[in-house]
Amino acid sequence: MANNEDLFKKIISHAKEYGFVFPSSEIYDGLSAVYDYGQYGSELKKNIRDYWWKSMVQFNENIVGIDAAIFMHPTVWKASGHVDAFNDPLIDNKDSKKRYRADVLVEEYLAKIEDKINKEVEKASKRFGDAFNKEQYLTTNPRVVEYKTKMDTVSHRLYSSLEKNDLVAVKELIEELEIVCPVSGSRNWTEVRQFNLMFATQMGSTAEGADTIFLRPETAQGIFVNFLNVMKTGRMKIPFGIAQTGKAFRNEIVARQFIFRMREFEQMEMQYFIKPGNEMEWYHYWKEKRLNWHLSLGIPREKYRFHDHEKLAHYANAAADIEFEFPFGFKELEGIHSRTDFDLGAHQKFSGKKLQYFDPETNESYVPYVVETSIGLDRTFLAVLSYAYNEEKLEDGSERVVLKIPPMLAPIKIAVMPLVKKDGLAEKAREIMDSLKIDYMCQYDEKDAIGRRYRRQDAIGTPYAVTVDYDTMKDNTVTIRERDSMLQVRIPIERISEIVRERLKPVV
Ligand code: ATP
């Protein structure tokens, strides 16, 4: 298999070639960090969103969903802290004129040290074979211990400087570590400055009377400002949750890595309202529950890991990321945050409205605490796509590219194909297609040799292909071919639906 950078490039071009993801406004040379989803991409994206919604709202009787507007009252973003604190520290290289996130430069430096540790571990495990004890090696090998100490010191300095908003110290750290610009190779850096990530626009018909409003940088605030409405109209009892999916906008400084970091993206968020004091219990509960959701897609456990935050956002008292191993390494896919009463407390203060829950058992009112789960839909799409992309050498010496997309998320579930167009086979295949498409997204294909048609379906991740041949005309059976094993079996037409349905269940 190609190296990871090559692999990532192949995934990006496959996504474009097969109608999953296109650069935005491509005929005008694209728009940086903005992408469009094509005919298969939008299906995959919708299926991920639907599965999330089902897992959150349909499967949990105490979680309901809403759909708030993207535009919100400007004071929302004052209260939430975004106007004052939704900043990234940026730094420019004076030679290449390239702009970077200062914290990311240091994090990349840390990732390089981590790579070195991993290489040492790999070497040692080869050398010691079965007798190798990884834990012991990590804590006793002098070189590894030195690397680890260095990582701890650097990350502590980075996060404590950021916490104190001490940008001079961040710059000093970059200089001390002799971090160079990957483009110019020089260390000719500007000062570190804060940059607000919100997009602003005007609302109102005349320029003078217009109000500056923001495109929401997260969907969460739409939930907080509707807390009272939902609680009252839904007669919700704590603990309860409100879920929402929708677009969010961030003027990201470094927008690279395809749909991993976009300026317009989609989030799937759930805010769980709880009694103060119970937050750690619920935080751990949601951490585990969300990891299990990822595993239910059938993607192996080793592709995921937790990263507990050292640097906490201004609103959190505990936070962790679920990271996924993308082709460019382990990176954040979802965040689970214990947000205390920060948001409701702030909106209560700024709006002057009481945002409290009356507990009928204790006869007391309080501002609930919140545990949030926040996942990027586009990042999940990228995780699924990069896991699914496989290049395989077949027994007959040929090669195929197959997307092993979890069947329940696949854009097309069944391809229906007549072996040849004549002798009534096409009409028979159409008939089967018409009955299956009521329940499943299907595709009819009668063009080219059957082998080429299978390859086309493999390339878009269709789990099943059904072929109509001359025997079908006699006994109403078809050949059904499974994508991953490529096994073909003969079954009666009435069984197609049941076989497919079985495969579309989550892996528990
Ligand atoms: P990062 O550190 O990568 O910028 P974040 O910690 O700012 O992410 P959150 O504010 O916690 O992200 O947002 C929740 C989720 O939204 C993230 O886990 C990610 O999946 C998604 N997300 C955030 N920013 C982007 C973006 N620019 N493009 C695509 N998805 C994003």
Side-chain angles (χ1 to χ4, degrees):
M1 179 62 75
N3 74 34
N4 288 348
E5 207 172 303
D6 278 353
L7 172 66
F8 190 39
K9 282 193 191 137
K10 284 184 185 181
I11 293 170
I12 297 172
S13 49
H14 189 90
K16 183 172 169 213
E17 193 181 336
Y18 286 91
F20 282 83
V21 182
F22 306 127
S24 156
S25 341
E26 199 187 2
I27 56 169
Y28 294 99
D29 295 334
L31 181 66
S32 171
V34 186
Y35 290 90
D36 296 340
Y37 287 85
Q39 63 278 25
Y40 298 124
S42 53
E43 286 293 330
L44 173 56
K45 194 175 166 199
K46 175 172 71 64
N47 293 342
I48 298 171
R49 190 195 297 113
D50 288 350
Y51 179 51
W52 181 89
W53 189 269
K54 208 169 181 180
S55 313
M56 287 308 211
V57 179
Q58 190 171 327
F59 295 172
N60 292 291
E61 290 164 35
N62 64 345
I63 300 181
V64 293
I66 62 162
D67 184 9
I70 288 172
F71 292 146
M72 302 182 74
H73 193 285
T75 312
V76 167
W77 306 110
K78 265 308 259 181
S80 68
H82 283 81
V83 171
D84 297 322
F86 194 53
N87 300 318
D88 272 345
L90 70 83
I91 188 165
D92 294 295
N93 184 270
K94 291 184 199 159
D95 298 321
S96 68
K97 307 271 183 286
K98 289 273 171 207
R99 182 160 284 182
Y100 298 92
R101 255 173 72 175
D103 53 336
V104 171
L105 284 179
V106 179
E107 277 164 3
E108 281 170 357
Y109 176 91
L110 290 169
K112 279 191 196 136
I113 309 184
E114 199 174 3
D115 274 352
K116 286 186 189 162
I117 297 179
N118 291 339
K119 286 216 176 85
E120 293 289 332
V121 170
E122 220 173 279
K123 268 199 290 182
S125 104
K126 276 201 193 121
R127 199 160 13 131
F128 295 115
D130 286 347
F132 182 60
N133 179 336
K134 188 172 166 190
E135 285 312 304
Q136 193 183 352
Y137 183 79
L138 285 174
T139 47
T140 53
N141 178 281
R143 191 171 307 157
V144 169
V145 172
E146 196 185 311
Y147 285 147
K148 272 199 154 314
T149 317
K150 172 100 189 181
M151 279 182 75
D152 289 346
T153 327
V154 171
S155 74
H156 180 75
R157 272 184 62 187
L158 173 68
Y159 296 126
S160 64
S161 310
L162 288 173
E163 190 117 338
K164 285 183 273 178
N165 204 12
D166 186 350
L167 300 180
V168 174
V170 176
K171 166 88 189 282
E172 276 166 13
L173 186 60
I174 290 175
E175 276 172 348
E176 252 177 71
L177 299 175
E178 304 187 344
I179 294 176
V180 297
C181 164
V183 177
S184 67
S186 87
R187 282 187 261 146
N188 194 5
W189 296 110
T190 61
E191 298 309 306
V192 178
R193 306 188 295 288
Q194 290 291 16
F195 173 81
N196 193 290
L197 300 181
M198 282 198 294
F199 283 101
T201 187
Q202 304 294 321
M203 183 176 260
S205 53
T206 57
E208 310 93 75
D211 264 333
T212 296
I213 56 164
F214 298 102
L215 271 72
R216 67 179 177 201
E218 61 173 31
T219 56
Q221 298 306 322
I223 294 178
F224 294 124
V225 300
N226 278 298
F227 161 77
L228 217 50
N229 284 337
V230 174
M231 183 179 71
K232 282 189 184 158
T233 56
R235 292 180 295 124
M236 310 304 287
K237 298 266 171 298
I238 273 182
F240 74 89
I242 305 179
Q244 167 164 237
T245 71
K247 285 279 173 103
F249 304 83
R250 295 182 188 179
N251 199 359
E252 298 280 0
I253 302 167
V254 192
R256 276 194 243 116
Q257 294 169 321
F258 193 39
I259 55 170
F260 180 80
R261 191 174 297 288
M262 303 156 93
R263 297 207 164 104
E264 172 179 343
F265 59 101
E266 197 163 334
Q267 288 186 316
M268 307 189 286
E269 297 198 297
M270 192 278 298
Q271 311 293 328
Y272 203 66
F273 298 94
I274 54 175
K275 193 171 174 167
N278 292 349
E279 67 270 23
M280 280 305 141
E281 183 192 322
W282 286 114
Y283 169 69
H284 291 296
Y285 172 88
W286 281 110
K287 259 177 87 171
E288 195 188 318
K289 186 122 171 145
R290 290 305 303 150
L291 178 66
N292 287 338
W293 182 84
H294 292 278
L295 301 180
S296 75
L297 300 175
I299 300 178
R301 175 67 179 84
E302 61 268 21
K303 297 295 278 179
Y304 298 93
R305 71 179 189 196
F306 279 116
H307 169 236
D308 294 310
H309 283 209
E310 199 178 315
K311 176 201 165 202
L312 293 172
H314 58 277
Y315 51 74
N317 72 351
D321 297 335
I322 296 176
E323 296 186 336
F324 180 80
E325 190 178 19
F326 290 96
F328 40 86
F330 272 100
K331 288 274 167 3
E332 171 176 347
L333 174 59
E334 170 158 14
I336 293 105
H337 310 126
S338 170
R339 295 179 76 121
T340 67
D341 59 357
F342 176 84
D343 305 271
L344 288 181
H347 287 305
Q348 181 167 265
K349 195 169 117 207
F350 278 79
S351 69
K353 306 278 182 328
K354 223 168 141 192
L355 300 181
Q356 299 190 355
Y357 174 77
F358 175 74
D359 188 334
E361 274 162 32
T362 59
N363 276 338
E364 275 169 357
S365 290
Y366 57 84
V367 178
Y369 268 30
V370 168
V371 171
E372 159 187 86
T373 72
S374 172
I375 176 170
L377 176 49
D378 313 84
R379 273 191 203 177
T380 312
F381 184 109
L382 183 59
V384 168
L385 192 67
S386 33
Y387 165 73
Y389 183 90
N390 276 276
E391 292 171 1
E392 288 182 351
K393 253 206 152 45
L394 305 180
E395 272 169 19
D396 64 3
S398 64
E399 279 182 22
R400 71 164 181 164
V401 172
V402 53
L403 293 188
K404 295 185 174 174
I405 299 176
M408 66 173 158
L409 302 180
I412 306 288
K413 308 294 188 215
I414 313 168
V416 184
M417 314 168 164
L419 190 61
V420 291
K421 280 182 249 178
K422 55 186 185 181
D423 300 329
L425 267 61
E427 289 73 16
K428 187 74 184 170
R430 280 269 175 222
E431 208 180 279
I432 296 175
M433 166 90 187
D434 284 344
S435 79
L436 289 174
K437 76 182 182 193
I438 299 167
D439 295 317
Y440 304 103
M441 193 72 193
C442 299
Q443 192 170 72
Y444 178 82
D445 192 1
E446 59 177 22
K447 202 168 171 290
D448 300 322
I450 198 80
R452 287 188 63 180
R453 285 183 258 168
Y454 284 151
R455 289 293 169 278
R456 277 205 289 268
Q457 295 301 328
D458 288 344
I460 60 167
T462 307
Y464 287 104
V466 163
T467 306
V468 170
D469 57 20
Y470 285 101
D471 284 342
T472 314
M473 310 306 278
K474 285 185 246 150
D475 61 7
N476 270 326
T477 62
V478 288
T479 304
I480 187 164
R481 173 191 183 266
E482 197 273 330
R483 176 194 69 196
D484 300 351
S485 62
M486 294 187 288
L487 282 180
Q488 302 188 15
V489 286
R490 193 97 208 156
I491 54 159
I493 292 171
E494 326 71 84
R495 286 205 55 218
I496 302 172
S497 191
E498 139 203 356
I499 290 178
V500 175
R501 181 166 298 119
E502 197 47 40
R503 263 310 286 290
L504 300 186
K505 290 185 180 155
V507 180
V508 202

